[in-house]
């Protein structure tokens, strides 16, 4: 188990989760969000390759269409 900060809240997770596996674990639709890991926007194509680590800060933002 590891502990991260997700959208400002402490969250315990199984070790070894990639970002896309984290979204699945949390039942978040990946097509509708952007992820910021430790202050850096993570491109969608890297979500499979980046794994969460102890004390990471992950923020999830909903994509909003506008004009």
């Amino acid at each position: 188990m590891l502990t991260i900060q997700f959208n400002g809240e402490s969250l315990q997770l199984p070790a070894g989760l990639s970002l896309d596996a984290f979204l699945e674990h949390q039942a978040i639709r990946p097509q509708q969000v952007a992820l910021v890991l430790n202050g850096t926007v993570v491109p969608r194509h890297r979500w499979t390759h980046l794994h969460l680590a102890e004390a990471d800060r992950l923020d999830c933002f909903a994509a909003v269409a506008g004009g």
Side-chain angles (χ1 to χ4, degrees), residues 11-29:
L11 188 62
Q12 286 199 324
L13 300 168
L17 284 179
S18 63
L19 295 182
D20 60 347
F22 168 80
L23 293 175
E24 183 177 327
H25 184 267
Q26 296 299 115
I28 297 171
R29 298 185 66 188

Side-chain angles (χ1 to χ4, degrees), residues 6-59:
F6 177 60
N7 289 344
E9 305 267 337
S10 183
L11 188 62
Q12 286 199 324
L13 300 168
L17 284 179
S18 63
L19 295 182
D20 60 347
F22 168 80
L23 293 175
E24 183 177 327
H25 184 267
Q26 296 299 115
I28 297 171
R29 298 185 66 188
Q31 303 86 347
Q32 300 176 341
V33 297
L35 296 178
V36 177
L37 180 61
N38 299 322
T40 302
V41 175
V42 181
R44 193 174 305 268
H45 70 273
R46 297 198 58 219
W47 291 1
T48 301
H49 307 290
L50 287 177
H51 292 79
L52 292 168
E54 184 68 31
D56 274 347
R57 290 176 297 117
L58 183 64
D59 293 295

